[in-house]
Amino acid sequence: MNDPNPAILLLGNKRDLAEGGRKVSEEEGRGLTDKWGGSCRWREVSAKLDEGITDAFEEMTNLIEIKRTGQLRSEAKNTKKSKH
């Protein structure tokens, strides 16, 4: 499938460093996601401190699920339960 607007999660690593020690600032990252638009999101993570990694994977999964079905998986489960 050729989706002209794919789900993109742009990650800035090294969240544990001060703003001056990063290669890409939060402002730059957010600017790129605004420029790319659509389903593009920005998150900062720290592999060193294991911060935000799991959340990033969960968010990417949610973005893909929303694009694929139009709703989150948990919303789909609730819809199915309410039909019974």
Side-chain angles (χ1 to χ4, degrees):
M1 171 162 90
N2 289 332
D3 187 347
N5 189 21
I8 299 171
L9 184 59
L10 181 62
L11 297 178
N13 194 17
K14 310 270 187 212
R15 180 167 88 176
D16 51 288
L17 295 179
E19 190 69 34
R22 300 176 188 170
K23 299 286 184 195
V24 177
S25 69
E26 182 175 355
E27 184 178 311
E28 243 182 313
R30 291 198 184 278
L32 279 174
T33 59
D34 291 343
K35 179 181 173 184
W36 293 342
S39 298
C40 187
R41 304 285 186 270
W42 162 259
R43 293 290 172 260
E44 288 189 300
V45 299
S46 172
K48 179 180 179 180
L49 300 177
D50 190 24
E51 292 179 350
I53 306 296
T54 301
D55 292 339
F57 277 99
E58 288 174 359
E59 182 164 7
M60 190 67 215
T61 303
N62 287 337
L63 286 171
I64 292 168
E65 188 69 18
I66 289 169
K67 286 195 64 64
R68 192 174 72 76
T69 67
Q71 60 186 352
L72 288 172
R73 189 173 304 188
S74 60
E75 293 172 350
K77 287 180 184 176
N78 291 337
T79 302
K80 288 178 185 175
K81 286 180 182 177
S82 66
K83 289 181 180 180
H84 294 291

